[in-house]
Amino acid sequence: MEGHISVETSLKWLEGLSKGMIGEELETITMEGLKVVQAQKGFIRCHFLVPNSVADKEGNWHVGAMATLIDTIGAAAVLSLIGLINISVQLNISYYSAPKIQEEVEIEAKVMAEKEILTSVVVEVRQKDNGKLIALGKQWMTTRSTSKIKLSEKSKL
């Protein structure tokens, strides 16, 4: 039952961002029009028509806007699994192509591993019509809560 609540919370959070009801202006502009098509514990798949508001000077999807979307969808996948919004501690993105404005893409975020207070998620952005990889994001996230950390453990640094 707890997992169902986490998925539902994740969906409500993404919907609020995509409709501009919650979040910062940067997030809401970047997420405008996002449609979640599949969601389960640790997994989110979305369709997204790249809006004019996130264009770079060449008419492509601005890589900063794409990075914001990758980070947010990754966080939503983690939220759907553990029920907490996490903080990105490492985010690596490889860009393979530059989609044009008004191109439809598919974004898929999948939790890959959990290790103590860290969670790993991979986010793929692909052209919807042919599946061609546009960008691949790999991130590690951690909770704001330190409740999982044992106070008796010493730093390994």
Side-chain angles (χ1 to χ4, degrees):
M1 184 69 172
E2 181 181 317
H4 175 71
I5 293 170
S6 297
V7 171
E8 191 175 295
T9 301
S10 183
L11 292 172
K12 286 180 183 177
W13 183 59
L14 285 174
E15 180 182 18
L17 288 170
S18 70
K19 292 183 176 178
M21 300 181 316
I22 61 169
E24 300 295 323
E25 184 178 7
L26 176 65
E27 291 171 317
T28 60
I29 289 171
T30 302
M31 306 281 292
E32 181 184 351
L34 182 79
K35 304 273 189 258
V36 177
V37 294
Q38 185 180 1
Q40 58 193 47
K41 269 180 91 166
F43 179 85
I44 305 279
R45 179 178 291 133
C46 305
H47 291 164
F48 184 65
L49 184 66
V50 181
N52 295 332
S53 59
V54 296
D56 64 13
K57 61 184 177 185
E58 285 89 33
N60 297 319
W61 188 5
H62 192 284
V63 293
M66 196 183 316
T68 300
L69 187 81
I70 288 170
D71 184 40
T72 305
I73 302 297
V78 174
L79 174 62
S80 74
L81 180 68
I82 66 172
L84 296 170
I85 294 180
N86 287 2
I87 299 167
S88 295
V89 292
Q90 182 179 17
L91 175 60
N92 296 310
I93 302 174
S94 297
Y95 298 96
Y96 298 98
S97 65
K100 295 288 185 192
I101 296 307
Q102 298 305 309
E103 185 173 330
E104 192 163 12
V105 299
E106 183 171 84
I107 303 116
E108 187 175 290
K110 195 180 324 179
V111 172
M112 303 304 288
E114 292 181 87
K115 185 172 182 173
E116 298 177 17
I117 64 168
L118 294 173
T119 306
S120 172
V121 63
V122 172
V123 181
E124 294 180 353
V125 180
R126 296 182 176 275
Q127 291 177 339
K128 187 177 175 210
D129 62 351
N130 64 14
K132 182 180 174 186
L133 186 63
I134 294 168
L136 179 66
K138 296 177 183 178
Q139 67 188 129
W140 281 96
M141 305 189 86
T142 186
T143 61
R144 293 181 184 177
S145 170
T146 57
S147 62
K148 291 185 182 178
I149 300 173
K150 295 178 185 172
L151 296 176
S152 61
E153 290 181 4
K154 293 187 179 184
S155 171
K156 295 177 182 158
L157 298 178

